[in-house]
Each structure stands twice: as structure tokens, then as C-alpha cells.
Amino acid sequence: MEPTYKKTILRHYNNPSNKLDLKKPTKVFSGANPFCGDKLEIKVKLDGQKKITDVSWSGDGCVISQSSASIFTDMIKGKKLAQIQKMTSAKLLKELDINLSPARRKCALLPLYTIKETANEEEE
Amino acid sequence: MKNLVNKNNFPIFSGRFKKMVYLDSAATSQKPKEVIAAEKDWYENHNANIHRGAYKLAEEATELFENSRQKVADFISAPSAKSIVFTKGATESINLVAGAWARYNLKKGDTILLTEMEHHANIVPWQLLSKERGFKIKYWPISQAGELIMSNLDELFSGVKFLSLVHISNVLGTVNQIEKIISLAKKKGLVVLVDAAQSVVHLPINVVKMKADFLVFSAHKMLGPTGLGVLYIQPDLFNQMKPYQSGGEMISEVGFKSVKFKKVPWLLEAGTQPLAQVFALNKTIDYINKVGLKNIKEHSRSLTDYAYLKLSEIDGLTIHGPSAKKRLGLISFSTKIIHAHDLATLLDRKNIFIRAGHHCAMPLHEKLNVPATARISFGIYNTKEDVDKFIKELKSILKQWSQPIKKQF
């Protein structure tokens, strides 16, 4: 099987989770990938404990960025925002489990950087 | 369609990437063996610092360096070698004009005219300078077809002191009617900079006929070494140039409290220059002259026409920019079936190397209303077979991705 465009990735691309427009979000994050021009917006609803009770996202982009946004937003539901903002790139890449060149890693990591609000920087 | 040169004269095509179809020459070109050999030859046989040292090796190095300046001048039909300044690339050449000319010769409130099809390198230096010095920036609009709109030029040029524009767009491939544009601009007294980064390797440039005040290009996009660029300055503007960077080589006399500068071009070349690269550029121009720019232009023309025709036959594919005859050397396109990046990744699997993204022209992509495009661009080593391989794989990818998801894998 094609190691980048595997079935789970394509399923998320064609049928993304949480690609909605959340009404009255607590917080809105915007990110962009300067390498390719992809843009992403993630909206979250937080409860009193700053836990993510609901999430939605919107944006256009390649298969990798779109499916990653779908998978990532599934991952973060029910977790504390502060905890998610500490998530490492490695953790998200492991969850995606696909073969990516360094340039395409940026596509995959766009949702994570968006919520970290450090869209242009990859941590070491 | 005949092959112009033997691919094997470019060592990269017989090395690790023997099977590659390289379609990204607008980003950087591959190098013929003559150019690679020249750089080695410099270090092995000629290396000494120039304009100093009273010994044979240094004197010879100086002569070779200044000969290369003359070679570049002849290449673009500049009447004097003094018009040629070496920089580290087209980007630095533009920054030099911003920092050493525009900064001192434009006044607060003056307008700089750029076009909507500029590369970031011809936008950002002007934005930064304008912020600092209170200049205004205006953009020359392009049509749906990706050409500069040539009507209402009186209104467009009003209040404008300086025009900086690209010769061949690195995204649209549009060949701007540069001579016509400059002659109209000159009537209004504008000073004009031409970004020839894409054009210099596809067609003969004559700065006198063109009447450019400044013209910039990079060596690496024209089969030459990386890290080297050229700035041509029209002689009438020599006295308007101020120092860009300062230090050694650009001075004639330094005291503890005073300094006297050399004249253009040496005024603008502070510090030790990229000597081996300048020598290699000299040999690059020899190589280009041997192949012949007229032949190169014809070759680029037939590859562009052929690829354009083949791409335009594909359903659901949008080609950005003008018709084949109004462009040269490159084609950008997009399709709703697959994102440009995914396409580049899948073609990469087949050893076909194309560019995907906004090609350092985000404002233009905003205008085109596409987040990213795929681009193929040609060098003198490309062949009809390269285009055929690319089209075949492109069609097969588009076919696969048009099918419903369940059937795909």
C-alpha cells in the first residue's frame, strides 16, 4: 500500500471528523503554513476546568493537512487545552503513522502548531 | 523536437538521480560539467584575493575577476563592465537597489510601482523601505489571463517615481512586454528595475535596447554557481549610488575619522567577493554562448508549447496565466481533483520532480484565488520525453484520484 496515502488517511480526508462550524466557541485558533499557503482554523469550547468539550475546524489544503486536522481534533476532545498545547510533534506524527518527508511533516503538524499558536515554528 | 544538449553533460543526470525527470529549473538549474570544473579549477589553479597583493597569482586572479565582469556585461549587451555589480543573488541585487539607491533618491510620499505578479523578493524589500522612509506602494493589476493590464497607464504612472517589475513571471510564465513598458515609463520619467531572474536563461537580454535602469538576475538559475547574482546599473545612475555594505575593497582611502569610497561598481562590492563563483559564471556564459541563446529560446518555446498543449487536453485542469505563445519556460496549474502538494509527492514517487506551493508569490496566489499551484519549468537539458513521462504519470494520478474512495486502494 502507498505508505503516505493509506486507507485511514484517505478516509479522514474524504470524510473528515469535526469539520463543522462550532457556534459560540470559547476560543478560536488560526494557523497557516507559509510553505504551501494552507490555512486552518480550529474552534474549541472549554468548560470551567479548561477542558475541551467540543471542537470544530475549517480549512483547505492537501490530503495530509486535512486528514491530520480530522485526526487531531478527534484526539483532543475531552482533554485539557493546556495539556494539548504541550503535545509534542512526535506524538501527533505517531498517531498519523505515515511516511512523511520533512517538507510534508509541516502539512501534518499544522493543526498542532495552530493550537499551540506557534504556526511557524517547529520545536526541536 | 530535437534535444538541445546531451543530458550527460550535466553530471547530476548520470549520478544518484539518474532516472529523474527534473522539472524545477525555475527554482534552480542543474549545472553543466564545464561550470563544475571551473569552480574546481579556480581553487586548484587561480585562487588568491583580488585587488591586492603584488604577486603573480593575485594579479592574475584580479584580471580573471575583472574579465568575468566584462563577460557578464557583454552577455547582457551592457556598454561598460562598470555597470556590472556582483551580489549574492537576484534577491540581494534588489535589496541593494532599495538600500543604496531608493533610500537616498526617493522622497517621502513618492510612489513605488510594483506589479501583482512579483516574487516576494521584489515586494518585501520595498515594503520594509517604504515603512521606514514613508514611500507609497502601488500595484499594477493583472488581467484574468495573467497579463499586465495595459490600459489607463497615464493614471497608473501618475505620482510614480520608480517601477520594479519582473520580466518573466515565475508563476504565470508571462513574458512582459518589457521594452514597450519601459519606453512608456521613461516618458513619465520613471526609473525602472527589471527582475530578469527567470528570463536570462531563456532569451537574449539587451539592457540598452530594453532601456532598463537596473536589471537583476541570479547565476544559479542560468546553469551557473549558487551564491552569486548580478546587478546591472545604467551609467547615468552611478553618481546616485551610495554605499550598500561597507568595509574592505570598497574604499579608496580610510583615516581614523574619514573615508573616501571607490566608484561603482567597486563601491558596492564590500569584502572579499565569491571569486570561484564569479570565475565559474564566466565559464557558464561561455557554455551558454556555445549552445546559443537563440537555440535555447527556440527549445524553451517548443517545450513550453508542447507541454501547454498536453496539459490543456486534460479535463478538470486549470492552467494559470496566458496562452502558450505569451509565456516562456514554465507552466503552473491546479486541479480540484488533487492538491498540488499531494500531486508533487505522488510524482516524486515516480522520480518526476515538480514544484508545488505558492512559489514565493503569495499575493499573486491570493489574486488567482488558489492556495497553491503545481508548476513545471524547463531547462536546456529537458526533452520531449520528460514532458511525455510527466503527462503520463499526471494522467494516471488524476484518474486514480477521481475514482470514489472505496475503489482507490
Side-chain angles (χ1 to χ4, degrees):
Chain A
M1 188 193 292
E2 172 50 63
T4 303
Y5 301 97
K6 60 177 190 175
K7 229 179 226 165
T8 46
I9 294 295
L10 288 172
R11 204 166 54 225
H12 276 280
Y13 178 68
N14 285 290
N15 210 344
S17 312
N18 313 310
K19 197 172 183 181
L20 314 151
D21 188 23
L22 198 61
K23 298 283 173 245
K24 295 186 185 162
T26 325
K27 225 167 156 22
V28 180
F29 300 91
S30 326
N33 185 343
F35 168 66
C36 59
D38 285 358
K39 284 178 185 154
L40 183 68
E41 192 175 75
I42 300 178
K43 294 181 176 177
V44 294
K45 214 169 248 180
L46 303 174
D47 68 9
Q49 272 80 52
K50 304 264 168 162
K51 208 187 261 180
I52 300 168
T53 55
D54 207 355
V55 56
S56 77
W57 66 277
S58 62
D60 289 309
C62 63
V63 170
I64 307 304
S65 71
Q66 299 290 288
S67 52
S68 176
S70 170
I71 291 167
F72 178 72
T73 48
D74 275 347
M75 278 170 83
I76 67 176
K77 237 184 264 181
K79 305 257 168 58
K80 280 197 171 158
L81 178 62
Q83 187 193 341
I84 293 304
Q85 286 175 325
K86 276 188 231 146
M87 188 193 287
T88 62
S89 303
K91 179 150 191 216
L92 177 58
L93 290 172
K94 198 170 164 225
E95 188 73 24
L96 298 173
D97 189 27
I98 47 175
N99 179 15
L100 289 174
S101 67
R104 300 305 303 275
R105 275 167 59 113
K106 291 197 194 309
C107 309
L109 293 171
L110 179 59
L112 179 61
Y113 296 157
T114 298
I115 217 153
K116 280 175 182 272
E117 298 181 303
T118 54
N120 297 343
E121 307 150 33
E122 185 165 358
E123 79 263 21
E124 292 307 312
Chain B
M1 197 184 308
K2 276 204 327 226
N3 293 352
L4 183 60
V5 294
N6 185 350
K7 257 194 192 182
N8 289 329
N9 198 50
F10 290 72
I12 203 161
F13 293 114
S14 42
R16 289 168 57 231
F17 285 92
K18 209 179 287 185
K19 288 183 181 157
M20 76 170 161
V21 173
Y22 186 76
L23 293 173
D24 198 18
S25 294
T28 195
S29 62
Q30 300 301 344
K31 319 302 172 199
K33 65 177 191 300
E34 289 83 349
V35 171
I36 300 168
E39 232 176 278
K40 188 161 175 273
D41 182 30
W42 177 271
Y43 292 121
E44 289 180 353
N45 295 303
H46 306 294
N47 187 48
N49 214 333
I50 56 166
H51 300 139
R52 58 188 97 159
Y55 48 89
K56 282 195 285 298
L57 189 64
E59 280 173 1
E60 192 190 275
T62 305
E63 202 181 315
L64 286 171
F65 186 85
E66 293 303 329
N67 283 348
S68 301
R69 198 191 299 281
Q70 184 64 52
K71 183 70 65 72
V72 175
D74 295 341
F75 183 63
I76 56 171
S77 301
S80 161
K82 287 181 185 164
S83 281
I84 304 301
V85 178
F86 291 113
T87 64
K88 70 181 163 74
T91 296
E92 192 184 43
S93 297
I94 295 174
N95 275 277
L96 193 159
V97 175
W101 181 82
R103 173 188 293 277
Y104 304 103
N105 291 282
L106 298 181
K107 292 190 301 289
K108 193 176 174 189
D110 281 352
T111 300
I112 293 172
L113 179 63
L114 307 173
T115 82
E116 286 181 342
M117 61 169 88
E118 295 310 314
H119 187 281
H120 294 163
N122 201 17
I123 298 177
V124 183
W126 307 116
Q127 287 177 335
L128 287 179
L129 186 68
S130 297
K131 215 170 186 180
E132 188 193 313
R133 309 291 283 189
F135 306 149
K136 291 179 200 146
I137 296 179
K138 191 150 106 177
Y139 289 92
W140 189 335
I142 59 168
S143 66
Q144 275 302 312
E147 294 174 81
L148 291 173
I149 296 173
M150 297 296 284
S151 53
N152 295 330
L153 291 189
D154 277 352
E155 198 188 316
L156 183 76
F157 288 165
S158 96
V160 175
K161 292 282 158 60
F162 175 66
L163 163 64
S164 192
L165 86 166
V166 74
H167 191 186
I168 297 186
S169 157
N170 74 312
V171 177
L172 302 165
T174 316
V175 185
N176 285 321
Q177 305 169 49
I178 204 78
E179 282 179 31
K180 184 176 169 191
I181 288 170
I182 296 179
S183 90
L184 292 169
K186 288 274 148 185
K187 279 185 195 150
K188 299 279 171 188
L190 274 62
V191 172
V192 184
L193 182 152
V194 177
D195 171 3
Q198 292 301 336
S199 56
V200 74
V201 72
H202 288 298
L203 41 84
I205 300 267
N206 182 326
V207 284
V208 174
K209 231 171 116 194
M210 197 187 266
K211 297 195 182 75
D213 293 303
F214 300 105
L215 183 128
V216 308
F217 55 94
S218 296
H220 76 95
K221 288 194 205 285
M222 53 176 281
L223 315 173
T226 55
L228 177 64
V230 169
L231 165 65
Y232 159 81
I233 305 174
Q234 198 251 104
D236 292 350
L237 298 178
F238 285 177
N239 291 332
Q240 298 183 7
M241 302 305 295
K242 301 278 183 215
Y244 172 55
Q245 293 183 334
S246 52
E249 295 273 14
M250 49 84 76
I251 45 80
S252 59
E253 210 181 297
V254 180
F256 281 112
K257 288 186 175 169
S258 64
V259 57
K260 280 185 183 162
F261 298 112
K262 282 186 185 167
K263 294 193 161 142
V264 173
W266 304 282
L267 166 73
L268 302 166
E269 292 176 353
T272 295
Q273 294 299 296
L275 306 172
Q277 287 69 30
V278 167
F279 183 65
L281 178 60
N282 186 331
K283 302 298 168 192
T284 307
I285 293 172
D286 285 343
Y287 178 83
I288 291 175
N289 288 339
K290 199 176 79 191
V291 179
L293 263 169
K294 217 177 130 231
N295 298 328
I296 294 175
K297 188 181 174 185
E298 263 172 45
H299 175 256
S300 303
R301 160 72 39 234
S302 45
L303 276 181
T304 308
D305 285 353
Y306 181 64
Y308 189 95
L309 177 72
K310 288 285 160 190
L311 280 171
S312 61
E313 287 168 1
I314 299 176
D315 282 342
L317 190 140
T318 307
I319 297 177
H320 301 286
S323 63
K325 68 175 197 299
K326 289 183 174 170
R327 64 166 74 218
L328 197 60
L330 65 97
I331 304 171
S332 297
F333 61 93
S334 58
T335 149
K336 292 222 179 322
I337 298 166
I338 185 169
H339 189 278
H341 272 159
D342 297 314
L343 181 62
T345 297
L346 292 165
L347 286 168
D348 174 46
R349 303 274 200 270
K350 303 287 179 186
N351 281 310
I352 297 169
F353 301 160
I354 69 158
R355 179 80 189 265
H358 50 63
H359 322 297
C360 298
M362 288 171 91
L364 175 58
H365 280 75
E366 201 177 302
K367 171 98 183 186
L368 296 173
N369 199 20
V370 281
T373 54
R375 179 184 74 188
I376 55 168
S377 55
F378 307 118
I380 67 169
Y381 31 73
N382 284 119
T383 61
K384 180 173 174 286
E385 287 70 42
D386 289 340
V387 177
D388 288 335
K389 279 185 200 164
F390 158 72
I391 293 287
K392 182 171 164 260
E393 290 304 334
L394 173 66
K395 280 183 177 164
S396 124
I397 291 165
L398 292 179
K399 193 176 162 201
Q400 192 185 15
W401 284 70
S402 320
Q403 286 164 3
I405 182 76
K406 277 172 204 152
K407 288 183 196 157
Q408 263 187 41
F409 293 98

